[in-house]
Amino acid sequence: GAGVSQSPSNKVTEKGKDVELRCDPISGHTALYWYRQSLGQGLEFLIYFQGNSAPDKSGLPSDRFSAERTGGSVSTLTIQRTQQEDSAVYLCASSLLAVLGEQFFGPGTRLTVL
Amino acid sequence: QKEVEQDPGPLSVPEGAIVSLNCTYSNSAFQYFMWYRQYSRKGPELLMYTYSSGNKEDGRFTAQVDKSSKYISLFIRDSQPSDSATYLCASNNAGNMLTFGGGTRLMVKP
């Protein structure tokens, strides 16, 4: 079956521009997570959506980062006024039910800020 | 100190060897323990998923969790060159985000 999909796979942008990254979770999965993977920092949690509950934004590194999830399915991570330190691979994961724990990851979006 | 610690390697073994990968964690609230395999420029792929202490076997892979010592292990039997990848351990409390170790890079030489 279809897994988690993310687009674009690669994004190159100039410092100061805004970017939007998209995640399509596995159909029927109610929980959706965004992580960031960078050299030296490993995999870091950013934000988590569970059903219609308020998202857990505790991992967002600054107010330049935001995310939304429309209709309980597709999610968009937006980074405003990108900085070079935002360069990383942004990974999305989904889970059938958050309480089950296991999360399935998409291929990621590689963001390069010049 | 990070909540999940993992030796970065690289770990180099000959084909057919038994591989032992390990993590330690500090958060007593962690209940779920996972191992992910990540190939270069790909997303993490869930390999093993266990709840609480005990062993779980799936083919050539065995995951062990010892909550008393906060120790997580993954064993790979009859290792193959295709097992060459970075292995990430991860833990969470139900419903929460995963906390990852830094990953161990494994190389299996033919």
Side-chain angles (χ1 to χ4, degrees), chain A residues 41, chain B residues 1-7 23-28 30 69-71 99-102:
Chain A
Q41 295 296 322
Chain B
Q1 182 187 5
K2 292 186 176 181
E3 281 191 295
V4 181
E5 298 275 5
Q6 188 174 5
D7 188 326
C23 291
T24 58
Y25 66 95
S26 58
N27 189 337
S28 299
F30 286 156
S69 60
K70 297 189 177 66
Y71 203 78
T99 301
F100 283 86

Side-chain angles (χ1 to χ4, degrees), chain A residues 61-73:
Chain A
S62 77
D63 58 9
R64 295 186 297 105
F65 288 73
S66 63
E68 62 178 22
R69 188 178 185 194
T70 52
S73 182

Side-chain angles (χ1 to χ4, degrees), chain A residues 4-96:
Chain A
V4 177
S5 61
Q6 292 186 246
S7 61
S9 55
N10 284 284
K11 176 72 177 178
V12 180
T13 190
E14 293 179 348
K15 178 181 171 182
K17 301 280 190 185
D18 297 352
V19 295
E20 284 189 351
L21 313 179
R22 177 188 167 106
C23 171
D24 236 309
I26 294 171
S27 177
H29 279 199
T30 64
L32 186 148
Y33 305 79
W34 283 98
Y35 295 84
R36 176 169 71 174
Q37 187 173 33
S38 53
L39 284 174
Q41 295 296 322
L43 256 155
E44 303 173 289
F45 165 75
L46 295 176
I47 188 169
Y48 152 53
F49 297 88
Q50 169 61 63
N52 295 320
S53 303
D56 177 350
K57 304 180 184 179
S58 60
L60 295 178
S62 77
D63 58 9
R64 295 186 297 105
F65 288 73
S66 63
E68 62 178 22
R69 188 178 185 194
T70 52
S73 182
V74 171
S75 176
T76 302
L77 177 69
T78 301
I79 309 173
Q80 295 178 309
R81 305 181 302 280
T82 52
Q83 304 294 311
Q84 288 184 331
E85 61 263 28
D86 299 335
S87 295
V89 176
Y90 289 81
L91 290 157
C92 175
S94 71
S95 180
L96 179 60

Side-chain angles (χ1 to χ4, degrees), chain B residues 55-109:
Chain B
N55 293 358
K56 184 173 183 179
E57 188 174 321
D58 184 0
R60 296 185 295 112
F61 298 90
T62 300
Q64 281 185 355
V65 176
D66 183 344
K67 290 193 75 178
S68 63
S69 60
K70 297 189 177 66
Y71 203 78
I72 313 163
S73 300
L74 178 71
F75 299 96
I76 307 174
R77 290 182 297 281
D78 187 26
S79 55
Q80 302 295 309
S82 58
D83 295 329
S84 298
T86 295
Y87 289 79
L88 299 153
C89 61
S91 302
N92 69 352
N93 196 0
N96 289 348
M97 73 286 192
L98 286 170
T99 301
F100 283 86
T104 299
R105 186 173 163 220
L106 172 67
M107 295 183 292
V108 181
K109 310 239 177 205

